[in-house]
Amino acid sequence: MTRWLWEFPLTAFFVSFMVLLYPITVIFFPSVIDEYFLATPGLFQPVNWILSTFFHGSFSHLFNNMFFLILLGRVVEQRVGKAKWLLFYFMAGFLSVLGDWFVRGFLIGDTTPVVGASGAISGLACVAAMLSPFQFPISKSKRIPFPIFLFAWISIY
């Protein structure tokens, strides 16, 4: 039943990890959120920039991101492998937080803290749309026609 999910272990691990991280952190360690998982524009917080790529603003934000991650992350994992999947995830998350840090922190002057999970998942969505715009992997060897580019666009939008 869940074999289709575990054929892509890195994507499945990230989805499981983030689904468990959010409620545990919110319920048991709320003070840790402000200290480590929120990146404040204009402040130099490299640890927060990386850790914010694992955190979400709400349960609906988490659900939305995990839907697109499980759908689009497996496309990237199947096409480029685990190492490049991690590279794309962290690079997109880091660049989205860094861009927000610069634009809102220095150009606009807004210091509202942000999380970077959406930026990382949007980066994977872009990669999925470029690598396989019309085919969705069901397993390592089987694909079906599917508009990946459309779901990537919806994810980014």
Side-chain angles (χ1 to χ4, degrees), residues 19-155:
V19 165
L20 292 173
L21 176 72
Y22 183 78
I24 289 171
T25 309
V26 168
I27 294 168
F28 298 112
F29 307 103
S31 63
V32 171
I33 296 169
D34 292 337
E35 191 171 342
Y36 295 107
F37 290 105
L38 296 179
T40 305
L43 296 180
F44 186 74
Q45 302 169 307
V47 171
N48 295 42
W49 296 345
I50 298 298
L51 291 178
S52 71
T53 63
F54 297 111
F55 206 70
H56 300 82
S58 65
F59 277 109
S60 62
H61 184 218
L62 173 70
F63 176 76
N64 184 46
N65 276 347
M66 293 307 98
F67 172 76
F68 287 108
L69 180 60
I70 200 69
L71 184 73
L72 301 169
R74 59 188 285 151
V75 172
V76 177
E77 186 174 355
Q78 192 262 340
R79 295 293 297 234
V80 300
K82 292 165 190 48
K84 288 182 181 173
W85 188 101
L86 282 170
L87 176 68
F88 288 138
Y89 183 88
F90 285 114
M91 185 172 57
F94 183 77
L95 289 175
S96 72
V97 172
L98 189 63
D100 186 71
W101 175 79
F102 178 74
V103 171
R104 285 194 322 124
F106 289 108
L107 299 181
I108 298 174
D110 182 12
T111 58
T112 306
V114 296
V115 291
S118 292
I121 294 167
S122 293
L124 280 180
C126 290
V127 172
M130 290 190 294
L131 292 176
S132 183
F134 302 106
Q135 292 184 335
F136 182 72
I138 296 297
S139 67
K140 294 280 186 189
S141 59
K142 191 175 185 183
R143 295 178 183 201
I144 60 170
F146 192 78
I148 294 294
F149 72 94
L150 181 62
F151 275 83
W153 181 81
I154 292 168
S155 166

